[in-house]
Amino acid sequence: MQVSLHTGNAYASKMHVEDLVEISKEIGLILHVKMGVVIWNTSLKEKRSRLARVHLKVRQEAG
């Protein structure tokens, strides 16, 4: 199982995540977040958390 970097919980099979990474590379969709972590290597909860933090930062900077 793949373990979330955010929660430490298993969220998907490693094979499933590896397939997502490979397919995204093949179609040119390479999504990275800070420190080189590929977005597919994070759980859905972590993706939502990161998106919320980025959204908040942008809103704060915009006033």
Side-chain angles (χ1 to χ4, degrees), residues 1 16 23-24 46 62:
M1 291 298 290
H16 177 78
I23 291 168
S24 68
E46 185 171 4

Side-chain angles (χ1 to χ4, degrees), residues 19-45:
D19 286 347
L20 283 172
V21 171
E22 193 60 37
I23 291 168
S24 68
K25 286 179 185 177
E26 287 176 14
I27 64 172
L29 180 64
I30 302 171
L31 305 173
H32 292 277
V33 291
K34 287 186 179 181
M35 296 181 281
V37 176
V38 178
I39 196 71
W40 303 123
N41 292 339
T42 58
S43 68
L44 184 57
K45 183 176 182 176

